[in-house]
Amino acid sequence: LGTWRTRDGRRVSDLTDDDLPGDAMFEQMLLAPDGKAAAIYGNRVVVLDEDGATLGLDAVHEARNYLLGGLAEDGAVVLSFEGAGPVTGDDGTPRTEFTYAIYRFGIDDGGRQAGPALELRTLGPRFDSMRIREGWILLSSPASTVAIPLR
């Protein structure tokens, strides 16, 4: 493993297992226009500068399972899977309800959490993609898309 500068892709150092959280395999890398980045791991968000040095880590105390992320104007938006359970639909059909938490983190301030997490409960397939567009968080599954305002 190594560190690469986000501004030009050049390798700048080798990493050890002590340098990274968990199993050291990030799920997604969000690159900001200024060269900073947010690396999303299963249980951690790490903010990096343009040279690949760590600027900060998220400080979420709850258990989390980060799945997807996107960049908004003021930082990173990250979706955490919180759990699933059986429910009965209005028509009596058994369904699965998925619970998520949406976290927002500042990139310029080293990953500081920007307010409380938003809890989201949905029925149907799990979300498999996230986009941030024109002030909206778009979460999609094979069956549907949910739009949530960023404000």
Side-chain angles (χ1 to χ4, degrees), residues 6-7 106:
T6 58
R7 69 173 170 238

Side-chain angles (χ1 to χ4, degrees), residues 103-128:
Y103 293 93
R104 295 183 69 178
F105 301 102
I107 290 183
D108 289 334
D109 60 3
R112 183 179 304 263
Q113 188 175 344
L118 171 68
E119 184 178 286
L120 175 64
R121 294 176 182 269
T122 64
L123 299 175
R126 288 178 59 167
F127 293 125
D128 59 9

Side-chain angles (χ1 to χ4, degrees), residues 29-103:
M29 181 72 73
L30 306 175
L31 298 176
D34 64 359
K36 293 179 185 161
I40 300 172
Y41 295 83
N43 63 353
R44 201 58 147 173
V45 174
V46 180
V47 178
L48 307 167
D49 70 11
E50 60 274 2
D51 292 319
T54 300
L55 292 175
L57 305 170
D58 71 291
V60 174
H61 298 290
E62 298 88 23
R64 59 233 180 256
N65 181 15
Y66 297 137
L67 299 176
L68 303 167
L71 280 180
E73 287 182 17
D74 59 349
V77 179
V78 182
L79 182 73
S80 176
F81 176 70
E82 303 294 305
V87 295
T88 303
D90 293 338
D91 61 358
T93 305
R95 307 281 306 265
T96 301
E97 180 181 67
F98 296 99
T99 303
Y100 300 92
I102 299 173
Y103 293 93

Side-chain angles (χ1 to χ4, degrees), residues 1-15 20 26 29 31 35 37 48-53:
L1 292 177
T3 300
W4 288 263
R5 284 194 295 248
T6 58
R7 69 173 170 238
D8 61 14
R10 294 188 62 197
R11 187 182 183 104
V12 293
S13 70
D14 291 325
L15 298 176
L20 297 170
F26 64 84
M29 181 72 73
L31 298 176
L48 307 167
D49 70 11
E50 60 274 2
D51 292 319

